[in-house]
Amino acid sequence: SPDGRHAAFSYSDNSNGTPTKLWLFDANAGTWTSLAEFAYIDPPFWSPDGTWIAFRTQDGLGGEDVLVVRRDGTELKSVSANLPVEGRPYIMDGWYTENIIMRSALPGASGSIYLVRASDGVARPMFDTLLTKAQFIAAPDASLLAYDDYATDSQNHALKVMEPDGANAVTLANFAGGSIYPMTWSPNSRLIAFNYYSSFSSGDPKAEVYVVGRDGSNLSLVYSGVTVGRLVFSPNGEYLLIEETTSPTGGHLFLINLATLEKKILAAPGLSMDYDWYAPSWRP
């Protein structure tokens, strides 16, 4: 959660992997509480103010839904009923202020991006015109949206930011081929960290993690690896935590000092370095 007092995690405590429960971890008490249970639950997203948790469910038969719940377990409800039926299924990309950012997962290069208000499920297009169905990542201060602008003809990727109304797009970095994923903002909205995969065609992917200023300044390569799952800035923005799943020495969490670019492997006392780490987060 934004205040670091709680964590939300989807996990099945059943040996066959279903149903999945949405768990809330109280960091001070060290306790886990189940808030919801469905056949399958995708990773949850906290609202910027920490009052809501949004999550997508799947029934295993092609059905899906997006729900929200307060972190005390109250007001559990579906918020996807007002989205156009012809766009189903939808993908949830995160939050913009009090709204959930959602887009259609159907094949096609363009379509509407929707904002769905958590309190009542009211849905509206995010932009006045159809845009490429990219993943839009809102800055914590809601001033800019970051996205990967992919050109199908040239297969080039451009990391861009634009204002929330779709105006004044600025290119921060360009790459030929490959893919950009994931990307994340620093807590102060000044930096973007992103991973670039140079190629999957050879069966030997190469991951390169960069950090760049919101104006395109100081593009820096901070990590090279194989497969990167998540990127998480520290609350003060001085460190970047990188979830590497298949480095030459195994799956590790790498900690990058962004001032010196010093790299360290994060270890937990009493636990083997052979563990694969999943879904790391920070406490302030």
Side-chain angles (χ1 to χ4, degrees), residues 56-223:
R56 180 174 178 262
T57 67
Q58 300 180 67
D59 62 10
L61 303 172
E64 48 84 33
D65 198 2
V66 172
L67 299 97
V68 294
V69 65
R70 298 280 188 182
R71 65 178 176 183
D72 62 2
T74 62
E75 295 190 58
L76 175 66
K77 56 190 173 184
S78 170
V79 292
S80 61
N82 293 321
L83 290 167
V85 175
E86 60 271 17
R88 294 187 183 278
Y90 285 90
I91 296 172
M92 180 175 59
D93 285 333
W95 288 81
Y96 176 71
T97 62
E98 73 277 14
N99 302 284
I100 304 163
I101 303 174
M102 298 184 66
R103 57 189 165 94
S104 171
L106 292 176
S110 63
S112 291
I113 314 297
Y114 291 92
L115 294 178
V116 181
R117 195 162 55 203
S119 60
D120 55 13
V122 170
R124 61 180 175 86
M126 191 171 188
F127 309 108
D128 292 333
T129 58
L130 295 181
L131 293 176
T132 300
K133 291 193 298 186
Q135 181 182 26
F136 290 91
I137 309 297
D141 64 3
S143 60
L144 292 173
L145 300 172
Y147 63 104
D148 172 16
D149 189 6
Y150 174 63
T152 55
D153 52 350
S154 63
Q155 297 187 1
N156 286 340
H157 292 264
L159 177 68
K160 294 185 177 182
V161 294
M162 67 181 180
E163 295 175 4
D165 61 359
N168 300 321
V170 176
T171 300
L172 307 185
N174 281 290
F175 298 91
S179 62
I180 296 177
Y181 184 83
M183 68 180 79
T184 188
W185 287 87
S186 63
N188 62 9
S189 302
R190 295 178 181 174
L191 299 173
I192 300 171
F194 65 95
N195 176 61
Y196 170 65
Y197 285 114
S198 57
S199 177
F200 278 102
S201 59
S202 64
D204 185 22
K206 179 182 179 181
E208 297 177 334
V209 176
Y210 293 85
V211 173
V212 64
R214 60 183 280 152
D215 59 356
S217 60
N218 300 319
L219 177 67
S220 301
L221 176 65
V222 300
Y223 174 82

